[in-house]
Amino acid sequence: MKPETPYKRKPLRGLWHKHFFASLPSTVAHNLSNELGRRGVRQAVETAFHPSKGDRVTPEMISDLVSALVEKPFQKRSDEGRLTGEWIVYAKHRDQNYYLCISSHRHGDDAIAGNIRTVCCREFEWLADIMDSE
């Protein structure tokens, strides 16, 4: 997984996040989509079912397609430490980490910050200062 990093832009500047991998279809799909890019699926299908391989779909063709669409891209991202997942959002305060929420890529920074302000700033009075001072 990617290393922990601070948020650099408002409204989350001053907080940190760490990716974690959740074995959810949406997380796997997000990683595969990132790796394959815009034309990756089309290229994999064209290669797996190339006319030179005959006019009938074989188990080998299906295996090649699955490997090109799922196995290889996922393994490549894993080997390169580029798997992404959901975010654990936290604050660093007095040499301790305070875990504030888990969020997905679907949520925007404004929504995450709003939830943290609504819930977490009530629990940790110092948190609003961190979010506002950066």
Side-chain angles (χ1 to χ4, degrees):
M1 298 297 302
K2 296 176 181 179
E4 65 180 28
T5 54
Y7 283 101
K8 296 179 181 173
R9 294 177 290 175
K10 283 198 170 270
L12 295 170
R13 190 170 46 209
L15 302 179
W16 290 70
H17 69 285
K18 171 78 175 116
H19 285 89
F20 74 96
F21 187 80
S23 296
L24 300 170
S26 60
T27 303
V28 173
H30 186 80
N31 277 281
L32 296 176
S33 177
N34 284 350
E35 188 61 31
L36 291 168
R38 260 179 19 115
R39 296 198 22 87
V41 172
R42 181 182 191 126
Q43 289 171 342
V45 170
E46 288 173 354
T47 299
F49 301 118
H50 193 272
S52 67
K53 294 183 178 184
D55 58 354
R56 294 190 181 196
V57 175
T58 66
E60 292 79 21
M61 289 175 168
I62 300 297
S63 179
D64 289 347
L65 182 63
V66 169
S67 179
L69 290 178
V70 179
E71 295 166 357
K72 288 179 182 176
F74 196 85
Q75 189 64 53
K76 182 178 184 217
R77 287 184 80 78
S78 178
D79 290 347
E80 295 174 357
R82 294 187 303 118
L83 285 176
T84 190
E86 309 304 331
W87 293 331
I88 298 174
V89 180
Y90 62 98
K92 293 185 177 193
H93 181 67
R94 294 186 180 167
D95 296 322
Q96 291 193 5
N97 292 344
Y98 290 81
Y99 298 94
L100 308 172
C101 73
I102 293 175
S103 188
S104 74
H105 288 277
R106 293 185 310 270
H107 301 113
D109 290 357
D110 289 330
I112 296 168
N115 288 339
I116 290 171
R117 287 185 188 284
T118 299
V119 177
C120 301
C121 287
R122 291 180 183 178
E123 182 74 22
F124 307 113
E125 294 175 7
W126 47 265
L127 185 56
D129 292 336
I130 288 176
M131 293 178 74
D132 291 336
S133 69
E134 297 294 323

